[in-house]
Amino acid sequence: MENVFDAKVAQNYINRINNLIEDTHGIWGKMMVDQMLAHCCVSYEMVYEPEKHKKPGAIAKFILKNFVKPKVASEKAYPRDSPTAPQFMIVGRRDFEEEKKRLIGFIQKTQQLGAEAFDGKESFSFGKLKSHEWSNMFAKHLNHHLAQFGV
């Protein structure tokens, strides 16, 4: 799995995002490209803007930590048309350029903070994670959706 904390890897994601245009269509799934960008931002919002999202309760967090985390933080890619958690659902259209700018900013911030800032960092849903688990989560999600839109 790619290391999102590596400058070259982060730049590769940015280049792929910059290859998207407002009318890029998905190869699979129902999201429009602006919704996909906003959807990808949610992972980062939970780190950098947690006040935007409701934290899971104790029972939900137990389930997420024990049953969802192994799938999300592993190196195994997501299959097409994987189910989406409710907090990641994007309803309505978004400003393409604004979402693109936000996602690129989140990628850059994450890379600049580096692995050390994420090692042992508390996840919104999964408890404390190692930096490679954070990297896997971010990389898998980005790769899944950028591939969905052909970049």
Side-chain angles (χ1 to χ4, degrees):
M1 186 61 57
E2 295 172 308
N3 179 359
V4 299
F5 304 114
D6 179 88
K8 288 180 183 177
V9 170
Q11 188 58 53
N12 181 51
Y13 285 118
I14 293 166
N15 292 345
R16 289 169 70 187
I17 292 165
N18 281 326
N19 283 329
L20 294 167
I21 57 173
E22 203 164 348
D23 64 352
T24 303
H25 294 282
I27 298 167
W28 75 84
K30 299 175 184 174
M31 285 191 282
M32 303 297 287
V33 69
D34 54 282
Q35 293 172 316
M36 178 273 289
L37 293 169
H39 168 87
C40 287
C41 285
V42 173
S43 301
Y44 296 97
E45 288 173 358
M46 290 179 171
V47 174
Y48 302 119
E49 302 168 354
E51 68 282 356
K52 286 186 171 185
H53 300 278
K54 183 181 174 194
K55 289 190 176 190
I59 295 171
K61 192 164 185 174
F62 174 83
I63 292 167
L64 290 166
K65 186 175 182 179
N66 290 289
F67 299 102
V68 178
K69 175 188 166 188
K71 295 175 184 173
V72 173
S74 74
E75 294 190 8
K76 186 178 177 190
Y78 296 130
R80 286 185 180 191
D81 297 318
S82 298
T84 301
Q87 63 268 38
F88 284 81
M89 299 292 258
I90 304 299
V91 179
R93 300 300 303 269
R94 300 294 175 94
D95 181 293
F96 172 78
E97 290 299 332
E98 180 60 31
E99 296 303 329
K100 185 173 159 181
K101 181 179 166 185
R102 282 183 352 108
L103 183 55
I104 289 171
F106 286 139
I107 292 167
Q108 290 171 327
K109 182 174 184 173
T110 301
Q111 186 276 313
Q112 290 164 0
L113 286 171
E116 301 78 28
F118 284 83
D119 202 32
K121 184 171 182 57
E122 184 82 18
S123 161
F124 205 79
S125 302
F126 305 128
K128 289 185 180 184
L129 299 175
K130 296 173 184 165
S131 61
H132 76 273
E133 292 174 311
W134 282 104
S135 182
N136 287 350
M137 285 195 317
F138 290 138
K140 278 174 58 165
H141 198 226
L142 288 170
N143 277 321
H144 177 79
H145 288 294
L146 294 174
Q148 177 186 12
F149 282 82
V151 294

